[in-house]
Amino acid sequence: MGSRSGVLPSKSQTAQRTETSPSVLAMRIGVVAAETAFATFARNVDLEEAADDGYDFEGYISPAEWPLFSLVLDTLAAAEPGDARPLEERRADAIRDLARICLAVKDAETS
């Protein structure tokens, strides 16, 4: 990863490449998606109604926000092999996971 002249890159050049590496960018996109999904949830969902069985998230999330919210929620609520919990329980846990992710990112950014 040296330059054409054979000189090694400086620390700032290395740090800049690391910050823009595909894996770092992908992780940032994931964090942004999680934060956006959580903001959508907080803005649109009535927690008392969500506690009811058979709650339909899609009925409360705008069509423009639904694809990203659904993707994040379904990803977090996916059943692992041997997980016998019903979808509603996995979704409730996914919302808690989403809140934890967003709080952890916020804490990491302020540290």
Side-chain angles (χ1 to χ4, degrees):
M1 293 182 75
S3 67
R4 287 184 174 196
S5 66
V7 178
L8 293 174
S10 68
K11 279 188 174 183
S12 64
Q13 289 171 325
T14 303
Q16 183 180 12
R17 262 188 239 145
T18 302
E19 290 177 16
T20 59
S21 72
S23 61
V24 169
L25 292 173
M27 193 155 71
R28 285 184 188 161
I29 290 168
V31 167
V32 169
E35 289 175 331
T36 302
F38 188 66
T40 297
F41 174 79
R43 198 173 43 254
N44 295 294
V45 175
D46 181 336
L47 295 177
E48 289 180 14
E49 288 182 26
D52 296 339
D53 287 338
Y55 183 78
D56 176 22
F57 285 106
E58 192 168 1
Y60 293 90
I61 308 279
S62 76
E65 294 176 306
W66 179 252
L68 179 63
F69 179 78
S70 176
L71 174 67
V72 171
L73 187 65
D74 290 348
T75 299
L76 293 173
E80 297 290 326
D83 186 353
R85 296 176 300 155
L87 177 61
E88 294 306 316
E89 185 179 337
R90 293 194 320 268
R91 279 188 163 186
D93 286 344
I95 295 295
R96 284 189 285 274
D97 290 342
L98 189 54
R100 262 198 318 270
I101 290 167
C102 293
L103 290 173
V105 168
K106 186 176 180 179
D107 287 347
E109 288 175 350
T110 60
S111 297

